Amino acid sequence: DAGVTQSPTHLIKTRGQQVTLRCSPKSGHDTVSWYQQALGQEPQFIFQYYEEEERQRGNFPDRFSGHQFPNYSSELNVNALLLGDSALYLCASSPAGANGGYTFGSGTRLTVV
Amino acid sequence: AQSVTQPDIHITVSEGASLELRCNYSYGATPYLFWYVQSPGQGLQLLLKYFSGDTLVQGIKGFEAEFKRSQSSFNLRKPSVHWSDAAEYFCAVGAREYGNKLVFGAGTILRVKS
């Protein structure tokens, strides 16, 4: 049974560019959340998707947007990249109503130069 | 505001010694509590979780944690540490009232010396 799958694993972007990160949730999970983890820091909640809608959002600017597809997979988009957006982006999935018991993917390491 | 405190940034223990990692939380709702472990450059692996019921929770890899509501704590313990336990450990809190998003502590880096 595959867990949470994220792609790509690493990428390098230039300041001002746009990036799209992808996440496939664990089988049987329909809720997807995204977290940003800067180097040496704890993960910070970006937003959560359920039933193809953004249900909750953390303290991140509108440059961060997302989408959930009918198959429950999700994308995280970041526009106008800043150097400070360099981080490990973690996707987490759970069954609806699982009381936050999330399964995390291995993350996408984004470096902005 | 919700917050999680892990007072120890680094801890070093000898292989075979016991371990306790501290976690305190401040939450305006009935919390769900988690411990995750992260190896460098990797994602988060769930060690254990507490939703309700028995306050002593058993997890994977021989870890356990005890929820103490009166102390707002959820400390992680292991009776005998192995070199492979060296990693960073995060305590996290969620609550249905806050949409189940997780708030993480700053993490504790565990070093194991042989």
Side-chain angles (χ1 to χ4, degrees):
Chain A
D1 178 25
V4 177
T5 304
Q6 292 188 242
S7 63
T9 55
H10 299 82
L11 75 166
I12 300 174
K13 289 288 188 178
T14 302
R15 191 171 42 183
Q17 285 187 317
Q18 178 265 344
V19 68
T20 297
L21 311 181
R22 296 176 176 81
C23 172
S24 293
K26 184 177 179 179
S27 177
H29 289 189
D30 57 8
T31 300
V32 174
S33 299
W34 288 91
Y35 290 79
Q36 180 196 64
Q37 186 179 21
L39 191 63
Q41 303 296 314
E42 71 273 22
Q44 299 284 342
F45 175 76
I46 303 175
F47 43 53
Q48 180 185 88
Y49 277 84
Y50 172 64
E51 294 185 330
E52 302 180 49
E53 291 189 9
E54 183 182 295
R55 298 292 178 170
Q56 194 176 9
R57 188 179 184 92
N59 188 26
F60 279 81
D62 292 344
R63 297 187 298 107
F64 289 77
S65 63
H67 189 77
Q68 187 179 33
F69 299 93
N71 67 353
Y72 309 122
S73 66
S74 177
E75 288 182 348
L76 164 65
N77 301 292
V78 186
N79 294 322
L81 284 166
L82 304 174
L83 297 179
D85 295 330
S86 296
L88 180 68
Y89 288 85
L90 295 164
C91 173
S93 71
S94 72
N99 304 324
Y102 295 115
T103 300
F104 281 82
S106 297
T108 295
R109 172 69 65 186
L110 171 64
T111 302
V112 182
V113 298
Chain B
Q2 311 114 59
S3 67
V4 180
T5 301
Q6 293 180 245
D8 303 305
I9 298 174
H10 296 94
I11 282 185
T12 300
V13 299
S14 297
E15 191 169 15
S18 64
L19 171 70
E20 182 170 30
L21 302 182
R22 296 181 290 164
C23 174
N24 293 93
Y25 65 90
S26 174
Y27 235 65
T30 302
Y32 307 128
L33 297 155
F34 309 86
W35 276 98
Y36 286 89
V37 61
Q38 185 177 40
S39 297
Q42 300 299 310
L44 300 169
Q45 182 182 24
L46 179 66
L47 289 175
L48 46 78
K49 57 189 176 185
Y50 172 79
F51 291 155
S52 64
D54 192 349
T55 57
L56 184 62
V57 180
Q58 301 297 320
I60 62 171
K61 304 185 180 185
F63 285 93
E64 68 177 25
E66 186 172 12
F67 172 57
K68 294 185 177 180
R69 184 184 299 275
S70 61
Q71 299 177 18
S72 297
S73 70
F74 189 57
N75 294 346
L76 181 71
R77 300 193 294 251
K78 187 170 184 178
S80 178
V81 170
H82 188 263
W83 64 268
S84 61
D85 293 325
E88 188 160 17
Y89 292 78
F90 290 96
C91 179
V93 181
R96 185 182 298 278
E97 290 85 346
Y98 298 118
N100 291 330
K101 72 173 185 180
L102 296 181
V103 175
F104 286 83
T108 297
I109 296 173
L110 172 65
R111 298 185 178 122
V112 181
K113 58 182 181 180
S114 56

